[in-house]
C-alpha cells in the first residue's frame, strides 16, 4: 500500500467525523465537506493502518516467543549436572521428571526431561515420556532455534529413541541440553548433559513455540 496516501485518507476521514459533529451541533451553520475519497484510497488507507497494526503485533509476538525460548533454555541449563542415583533411571530429580509424565522410576527419561522443562516454563504441552510423540507433523520444522526439540533415530528401535533441546547451532553442529545421556552421547546415560552433535545425526526437529 501507499503509506502517504493512506495517511491522507485517514486525515480526510477524521475531518468528516469532525464536521459531522459540528453540523449536528449547529445545523444552521453547516461545515464544508471535503471531497469524498475514492474506494481505492479508502481501501489503501485501511490496508496501511492494518499493516502497521499487524507489524506491531508480529513484533510483540516475536519478542514474546524469544523470551519463552530463553526461559526454556535457562531452565534446562539449571538441570545440567543432574545424575542418576544408581545408574538405573533413578534419583530424586530423575523421578521428578518421570512423575511429571506419569511414568514410574526406572523408565527411560529423555522425553520426560524435555516435557518437564516445558512444564516448568508454564506450558501444558508437550507432556509425554514417549520420544516419537514429541514430533507430530504440525510441530515439525526445519527452522532450528533455541528450545527446538531434536530427535535421533535408532535403527534397532526403528523409531526416534533419543531427544533433547537445542541450545544453539554452531556451524555444522548443534549445542544441546539433554537428559538420560552421558559423555559419549548414549540414549541410556546417567544424567543431564550439554552435548555437541553433528547436524547429520539428527533425524527430525519440532518447534512447540512457533506454531
Amino acid at each position: 500500500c501507499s503509506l502517504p496516501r493512506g495517511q491522507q485518507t485517514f486525515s480526510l476521514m477524521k475531518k468528516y467525523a469532525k464536521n459531522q459533529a459540528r453540523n449536528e451541533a449547529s445545523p444552521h451553520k453547516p461545515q464544508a465537506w471535503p471531497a469524498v475519497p475514492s474506494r481505492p484510497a479508502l481501501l489503501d488507507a485501511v490496508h496501511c493502518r492494518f499493516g502497521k497494526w499487524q507489524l506491531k503485533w508480529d513484533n510483540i509476538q516475536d519478542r514474546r516467543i524469544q523470551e519463552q525460548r530463553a526461559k526454556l533454555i535457562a531452565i534446562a541449563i539449571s538441570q545440567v549436572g543432574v545424575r542418576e542415583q544408581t545408574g538405573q533411571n533413578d534419583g530424586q530429580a530423575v523421578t521428578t521428571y518421570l512423575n511429571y509424565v506419569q511414568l514410574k522410576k526406572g523408565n527411560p527419561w529423555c522425553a520426560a526431561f524435555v516435557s518437564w522443562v516445558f512444564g516448568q516454563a508454564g506450558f501444558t504441552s508437550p507432556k509425554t515420556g514417549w520420544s516419537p510423540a514429541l514430533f507430530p507433523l504440525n510441530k515439525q520444522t526445519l527452522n532450528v532455534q533455541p528450545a527446538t526439540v531434536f530427535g535421533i533415530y535408532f535403527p534397532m528401535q526403528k523409531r526416534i529413541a533419543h531427544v533433547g533441546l537445542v541450545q544453539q547451532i554452531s556451524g555444522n553442529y548443534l549445542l544441546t541440553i539433554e537428559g538420560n545421556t552421558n559423555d559419549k552421547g548414549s540414549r541410556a546415560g546417567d544424567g543431564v548433559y550439554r552435548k555437541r552433535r553433528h547436524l547429520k545425526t539428527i533425524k527430525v526437529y519440532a518447534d512447540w513455540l512457533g506454531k
Side-chain angles (χ1 to χ4, degrees):
C1 69
S2 171
L3 186 58
R5 190 174 73 173
Q7 290 174 332
Q8 290 171 4
T9 304
F10 263 103
S11 179
L12 285 175
M13 293 166 69
K14 288 180 180 179
K15 288 182 179 180
Y16 272 115
K18 187 175 181 180
N19 285 348
Q20 184 177 9
R22 288 178 176 175
N23 289 342
E24 290 175 354
S26 303
H28 301 296
K29 296 181 180 180
Q31 302 294 316
W33 292 82
V36 177
S38 65
R39 179 180 174 83
L42 285 171
L43 290 175
D44 205 23
V46 172
H47 290 162
C48 282
R49 185 57 60 92
F50 177 78
K52 290 170 68 177
W53 289 337
Q54 185 65 44
L55 182 59
K56 288 180 180 179
W57 174 250
D58 289 345
N59 289 338
I60 291 172
Q61 288 291 88
D62 288 344
R63 286 198 300 271
R64 182 180 64 84
I65 291 175
Q66 293 308 315
E67 289 170 358
Q68 290 174 332
R69 293 187 190 282
K71 184 176 182 179
L72 285 163
I73 293 301
I75 293 169
I77 289 174
S78 75
Q79 301 300 295
V80 172
V82 164
R83 296 292 182 268
E84 296 176 358
Q85 186 173 351
T86 68
Q88 300 297 317
N89 295 330
D90 56 5
Q92 183 176 353
V94 174
T95 300
T96 298
Y97 307 147
L98 288 168
N99 285 344
Y100 181 72
V101 294
Q102 289 79 52
L103 289 177
K104 295 181 180 179
K105 181 175 66 175
N107 279 285
W109 51 277
C110 61
F113 171 72
V114 169
S115 296
W116 178 87
V117 170
F118 274 88
Q120 295 303 297
F123 293 86
T124 57
S125 60
K127 192 173 184 179
T128 180
W130 179 241
S131 296
L134 288 169
F135 304 94
L137 288 176
N138 67 324
K139 298 297 182 183
Q140 291 182 22
T141 183
L142 296 176
N143 182 21
V144 182
Q145 300 186 63
T148 298
V149 182
F150 72 86
I152 299 177
Y153 183 85
F154 283 76
M156 290 191 65
Q157 283 72 31
K158 297 181 180 180
R159 63 175 175 85
I160 299 297
H162 184 67
V163 298
L165 291 167
V166 175
Q167 181 176 0
Q168 67 182 80
I169 295 180
S170 179
N172 292 323
Y173 290 86
L174 292 179
L175 303 182
T176 69
I177 305 165
E178 48 196 88
N180 204 15
T181 190
N182 55 24
D183 287 329
K184 294 182 180 180
S186 168
R187 61 175 289 269
D190 64 351
V192 180
Y193 289 77
R194 272 178 160 154
K195 301 301 300 176
R196 184 171 179 265
R197 295 186 181 273
H198 199 282
L199 294 173
K200 290 183 179 180
T201 66
I202 309 302
K203 177 68 173 180
V204 64
Y205 299 95
D207 186 0
W208 287 84
L209 287 84
K211 294 185 180 181

